[in-house]
């Protein structure tokens, strides 16, 4: 009995607001992997190892050399500080989406005393709870956080 081969298709959605929660998280992670590949290529081009395949599969393997370590290498081989800071922010946002659930926050606004006939207003917002650089857990609007990620991603893709 032969196994059926399955190929995963590319994400067909074009607008961030059309993504479901799993697609948001997967997209953020996948896009950061692409940035990490660009970083690997910059490091490869700088050091010019004799055996690029071995260097890539062993030394640049993310299980061996973390993204933080790769960013430190970039900082020491002449990559612009502004770009380094953007990559750090991308990594931070990526971690926020990769390590926490996207949940919902509900706001309920009752009618005011001056307008008692007015309907109760409710608003549901997708959120992620992330740790800031000071170690405090903060709540971020997931769509705004995703939009920030996309903007930074586009800038970094132009720079590296």
């Amino acid at each position: 009995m032969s196994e059926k081969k399955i190929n995963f298709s590319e994400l067909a959605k074009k607008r961030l607001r059309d993504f479901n929660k799993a697609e948001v998280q997967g997209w953020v992670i996948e896009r950061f992997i692409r940035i990490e590949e660009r970083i690997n290529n910059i490091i490869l081009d700088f050091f010019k190892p004799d055996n690029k395949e071995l260097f890539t599969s062993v030394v640049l393997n993310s299980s061996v050399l973390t993204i933080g370590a790769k960013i430190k290498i970039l900082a020491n081989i002449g990559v612009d500080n502004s770009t380094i800071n953007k990559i750090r922010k991308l990594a931070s946002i990526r971690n926020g989406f990769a390590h926490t659930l996207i949940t919902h926050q509900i706001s309920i606004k009752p009618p005011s005393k001056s307008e008692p006939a007015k309907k109760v207003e409710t608003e549901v917002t997708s959120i992620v709870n992330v740790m800031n650089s000071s170690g405090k857990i903060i709540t971020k609007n997931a769509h705004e956080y995703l939009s920030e990620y996309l903007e930074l991603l586009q800038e970094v893709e132009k720079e590296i």
Side-chain angles (χ1 to χ4, degrees), residues 55-70:
F55 190 85
T56 301
S57 66
V58 175
V59 178
L60 296 179
N61 185 307
S62 61
S63 297
V64 174
L65 195 64
T66 66
I67 189 63
K70 291 176 185 182

Side-chain angles (χ1 to χ4, degrees), residues 84-127:
I84 297 292
N85 289 334
K86 289 174 188 174
I87 295 170
R88 282 189 178 119
K89 182 65 178 173
L90 278 175
S92 175
I93 296 172
R94 176 243 175 244
N95 287 342
F97 280 108
H99 298 290
T100 60
L101 292 173
I102 299 171
T103 58
H104 296 100
Q105 184 175 59
I106 300 171
S107 301
I108 301 171
K109 184 178 176 185
S112 64
K113 290 181 181 180
S114 62
E115 299 178 276
K118 193 174 179 183
K119 290 184 178 181
V120 172
E121 293 179 27
T122 60
E123 183 177 279
V124 178
T125 306
S126 294
I127 60 166

